[in-house]
C-alpha cells in the first residue's frame, strides 16, 4: 500500500485578471493520500479562489493558506475537471478538505469552509435532482 502523504507539488502562481478573477499560470498538482493519485488544476483556468458570501468574509478570508485547495476545488467542480480526473462532486469536496489539511488551515476555519462547500453543493444538486 502507498504510504505517501498528501501534498501539493508546487505553489499556486496566478495573475489577477480584474475584479475577483484570477488565472492560474502553471498547473497546480496535488497528490491525494486518500485516493492515491495526483490531481491537476491546469494552467489557464480561471478562479475566484473561494466563493465566500460577503456576510461571512469577516469570519473566513478568501485569501490565505486556503488558496491552493480552493483552486483545486474550483477546477474539479466543473464538468471538465470532473471528467479529467474522474471525480464526483463529493470526491472534489473531499479533495478540498484534504488540501486544507495539507496547507495547515486552522481546524475551525477548515470546518467552516468545508461545511459551506458541502451544504452549497448539496442544495445545488437537490435542485438539479442529481445525486450528490
Amino acid at each position: 500500500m502507498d504510504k505517501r502523504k498528501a501534498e501539493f507539488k508546487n505553489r499556486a502562481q496566478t495573475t489577477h485578471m480584474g475584479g475577483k478573477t484570477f488565472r492560474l499560470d502553471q498547473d497546480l498538482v496535488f497528490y491525494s493520500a486518500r485516493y492515491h493519485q495526483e490531481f491537476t488544476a491546469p494552467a489557464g483556468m480561471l478562479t475566484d479562489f473561494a466563493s465566500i458570501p460577503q456576510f461571512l468574509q469577516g469570519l473566513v478570508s478568501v485569501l490565505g493558506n486556503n488558496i491552493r485547495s480552493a483552486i483545486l476545488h474550483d477546477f474539479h467542480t466543473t464538468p471538465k475537471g470532473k471528467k479529467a480526473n474522474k471525480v464526483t462532486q463529493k470526491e472534489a469536496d473531499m479533495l478540498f478538505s484534504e488540501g486544507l489539511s495539507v496547507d495547515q488551515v486552522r481546524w475551525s476555519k477548515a470546518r467552516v469552509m468545508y461545511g459551506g462547500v458541502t451544504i452549497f453543493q448539496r442544495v445545488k444538486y437537490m435542485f438539479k435532482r442529481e445525486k450528490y
Side-chain angles (χ1 to χ4, degrees), residues 6-75:
E7 67 175 333
F8 281 97
K9 302 287 186 170
N10 56 330
R11 294 180 160 213
Q13 295 187 357
T14 61
T15 299
H16 186 228
M17 303 301 288
K20 296 180 181 180
T21 306
F22 293 79
R23 182 189 66 229
L24 187 60
D25 294 332
Q26 68 177 30
D27 290 354
L28 178 65
V29 182
F30 178 71
Y31 174 77
S32 168
R34 173 185 285 274
Y35 299 111
H36 307 287
Q37 72 180 73
E38 286 188 352
F39 295 87
T40 302
M45 70 159 282
L46 300 178
T47 180
D48 64 356
F49 296 135
S51 303
I52 299 170
Q54 186 72 34
F55 71 95
L56 289 177
Q57 288 183 11
L59 298 172
V60 180
S61 174
V62 173
L63 300 175
N65 54 344
N66 56 284
I67 288 176
R68 295 189 296 183
S69 300
I71 293 169
L72 191 71
H73 187 259
D74 277 0
F75 178 66

Side-chain angles (χ1 to χ4, degrees), residues 100-123:
L100 292 172
S101 178
V102 167
D103 278 340
Q104 299 177 336
V105 173
R106 191 176 68 250
W107 184 87
S108 56
K109 178 181 176 181
R111 295 294 51 108
V112 168
M113 294 183 81
Y114 177 73
V117 161
T118 57
I119 289 168
F120 174 77
Q121 294 302 336
R122 287 178 187 187
V123 169

